[in-house]
Structures are given as C-alpha cells and as structure tokens.
Amino acid sequence: APVNPTSSTTAAAACSRLTGEGVFVVMGYFQADVLPCYLEDHDTAMIGGPMTAEQLERADPPWFSADAGSDVGAEVIRAYAESGALDGRLGVVAVSADEPQLRGEVLPLLDEFGIEPVASGLINDRTDASSSEVSAVVGTSVAEIADRFDDAEVDRVLVVGPAGASWAHGAAPTDYRPRLLFTSLGGINAYVSDESSDVSLLNDAAAGSLYDGEDVASLPAMRQCLDTQEAAGVVTMPSDDSTGDPGPLVGPSIACRNVTLFRAIADSAGPDLTYGAFRRAGEGLGEVTIPGYPDPFNYGRPPSADGDPVAYLFRWDPAERQFVVQDRRG
C-alpha cells in the first residue's frame, strides 16, 4: 500500500486497507501517528516504525524494528547537550502523536543537563486531533509555532523524531531561520529528497540517527539485497559513472532492512508461525546484520525490540545537498 511520507492521510488509509485484508504482519515506512492503528486498533504485528517506550508498553501484538526510535534520539540529544549545541535560546518541537515522548522522555532528559527550553510546541497536522498543552501552547501549524518561537527569540530548535518533514514544509515559506537540530534523519531526508524543496533553512543544521553514509549501497548485506532486487527488475542501481543517473534507493533500502529482519525472525520461529512463536523468536534473536549498517543489531525483549542500534551524528552539507556522517556514538 503506497503512502506519502509527508502526510498521515495515505498512511491511515493503508492501515485500514491492510488490516481489513487480515494480514499477519505489516512492514515498511511508518509515521509515528499511524502506529496505534496497527498495534492497538487492529492488533497487527509490525516490522519497522519508530519505537518509543510509551508506544512499546501499549503495543500488544509482536513488534520489532530496525528504524531509529526514541532511544537513538535520546543518545543524539545527549551528544548535542555535551557538545554545547543546545546552549542558547532553545525551542523544542514534535508532532502531536509524540507528545508522550516529548513530555516523558525529551524534556526530562534536557532537565538532566540543566537545559530549560524557552518554548516548545506540537505540530498538529490532523484535523480531528486533540492534544493537551505543552508549555501552555499547542501549535496547530508549523507557521504558528515558528511565529511564537521567533517572538521568543528562539535561536535553535530541537526537532524531535519524525517531525523533520513537517517542520521543514511549514517553516520554509516563513522568514524564521533558527539553527535546526534533528533527532532523526528519516523525516527531514524525505523533505530533502524532493528537489523542489527549499533547503536554505538547513544551513548549519545537524542531525542524529542510524548510520547513513555514502557507502550504504556498497556494504555487503545491502549490496546482496539490492542485487537481488535489480535482478528481479524492481530497482535500477546507480551507475558507477559519476555522470550516470542514480536510481531511487530509499524504498528498496527500507525493504532490504525490513525483509531481512522478518526473515530472521520467521526462520527462528519455525514452521508454525503464530504470534506467540513470532514474539519468542524476535525476543531471542540476538545479533543480526541489518543491510545498510556497519554495526550489528542485537534483538531481545523490550526495550531491545529495536536491536539497540548505534547512533551517528551528521551535519548538513549544502554543496552536497545532504547530511554527511560526522561521528559515531558508542
């Protein structure tokens, strides 16, 4: 089921369609606000999606992921705090679905470092959504939050989780240009991948996430997976010639990660693939090589259902029009 990574509308429709067909497990790209549809409303097992402690606690069906979750984001925030990147007049923003993470994880972590944001806000892009207040104000649009941050002289904004694309789309038409510090690459990379996007707002930006270096496609496990897809006519690999036309690799790469993880769990579960067997296999999986990452994942019981991945830091390179790796967090 196709989804638009910058909108929750198609994602909700995909959930209704797939769960209506009674699928055993869903895998792919998931926005935070669609997770409850699968995990709570329809009790469907999942591979993929950003994990938070709060969502893991509420999820009943088995759920495993190789995506960056809140534990990776927390490691990134620690790195920002230790480097002084959060010094100054800080604003914090997240999508409305991540309010529990913002209140329960992000703000307490900042408090540990003695950092008190000047302002914080929630991007509410769902017309039927209702949210309690964060720092006395809930933003119903990025433009409104940006205007409030600007009035408060916020000079750097911590963008939590998958809010990157929403913030960029909403802030680009405004004149507000603080330094942006992302705790995840997925959302903002979806924005950057559109060549018509205004990337001037990313000057001096930083991000943290799972590994995303220029050599991703050449790492052995990813190379093997993409070769399989190319042989099947699913994807055209980039040309070795620098003038060649690179093929689209974001979707195929996500598929490689998810299918690899599903296969490892299913193989371990054995021929009787029930939810009980699937959960036990995933929680006892241990070390797995996930395509595209130089460091192994290590799966176990929650909170290790995301494989406890290693976090990396990135900086925005305007000449390359992409975020480039700067450092590896242990």
Side-chain angles (χ1 to χ4, degrees):
V3 299
N4 181 342
T6 65
S7 169
S8 61
T9 304
T10 56
C15 175
S16 297
R17 170 188 161 188
L18 295 177
T19 55
E21 295 176 358
V23 300
F24 177 83
V25 61
V26 291
M27 63 181 80
Y29 171 84
F30 302 102
Q31 293 117 309
D33 58 359
V34 78
L35 296 178
C37 179
Y38 292 105
L39 296 170
E40 299 175 45
D41 299 343
H42 297 284
D43 292 327
T44 303
M46 293 185 68
I47 297 289
M51 287 184 168
T52 67
E54 184 266 345
Q55 184 64 69
L56 263 175
E57 185 176 342
R58 296 199 335 237
D60 184 53
W63 179 25
F64 301 94
S65 181
D67 294 346
S70 62
D71 55 347
V72 173
E75 187 63 28
V76 172
I77 292 172
R78 289 188 183 94
Y80 286 153
E82 291 166 1
S83 69
L86 301 180
D87 295 347
R89 297 185 65 81
L90 177 69
V92 183
V93 67
V95 295
S96 56
D98 281 342
E99 180 181 5
Q101 180 190 353
L102 180 62
R103 282 187 173 280
E105 300 179 41
V106 175
L107 295 180
L109 180 57
L110 292 175
D111 186 61
E112 287 183 21
F113 286 94
I115 298 171
E116 183 176 356
V118 174
S120 56
L122 294 171
I123 302 169
N124 184 355
D125 56 2
R126 296 174 295 168
T127 57
D128 62 344
S130 61
S131 301
S132 59
E133 293 186 352
V134 174
S135 295
V137 180
V138 172
T140 55
S141 74
V142 171
E144 291 177 0
I145 299 174
D147 186 57
R148 179 164 57 87
F149 281 13
D150 199 9
D151 287 344
E153 299 182 347
V154 169
D155 59 12
R156 59 204 62 214
V157 176
L158 181 66
V159 185
V160 177
S166 297
W167 176 267
H169 278 289
T174 74
D175 295 327
Y176 183 52
R177 292 294 183 268
R179 186 184 186 197
L180 299 177
L181 301 162
F182 300 93
T183 69
S184 174
L185 270 178
I188 191 59
N189 273 348
Y191 174 81
V192 171
S193 66
D194 183 347
E195 293 188 0
S196 66
S197 294
D198 178 5
V199 295
S200 65
L201 79 169
L202 296 178
N203 288 340
D204 199 31
S209 195
L210 303 184
Y211 185 78
D212 190 16
E214 293 183 356
D215 61 338
V216 162
S218 63
L219 293 176
M222 181 64 81
R223 179 77 258 173
Q224 181 180 7
C225 179
L226 293 176
D227 284 348
T228 299
Q229 294 190 54
E230 186 174 28
V234 176
V235 59
T236 301
M237 291 300 298
S239 169
D240 291 334
D241 182 351
S242 61
T243 63
D245 182 26
L249 294 180
V250 176
S253 297
I254 292 173
C256 286
R257 295 193 292 268
N258 288 334
V259 173
T260 295
L261 179 55
F262 171 77
R263 179 174 182 172
I265 296 173
D267 283 349
S268 178
D272 186 14
L273 197 57
T274 64
Y275 272 8
F278 197 75
R279 186 192 306 277
R280 289 190 296 272
E283 292 181 352
L285 198 58
E287 191 170 292
V288 179
T289 296
I290 299 294
Y293 300 120
D295 311 289
F297 284 53
N298 201 322
Y299 288 90
R301 296 172 60 85
S304 297
D306 64 351
D308 295 334
V310 173
Y312 284 76
L313 301 179
F314 303 78
R315 66 171 178 83
W316 174 250
D317 186 332
E320 296 292 331
R321 193 187 162 92
Q322 64 180 352
F323 285 92
V324 296
V325 177
Q326 289 297 288
D327 190 22
R328 176 187 187 276
R329 296 288 290 181

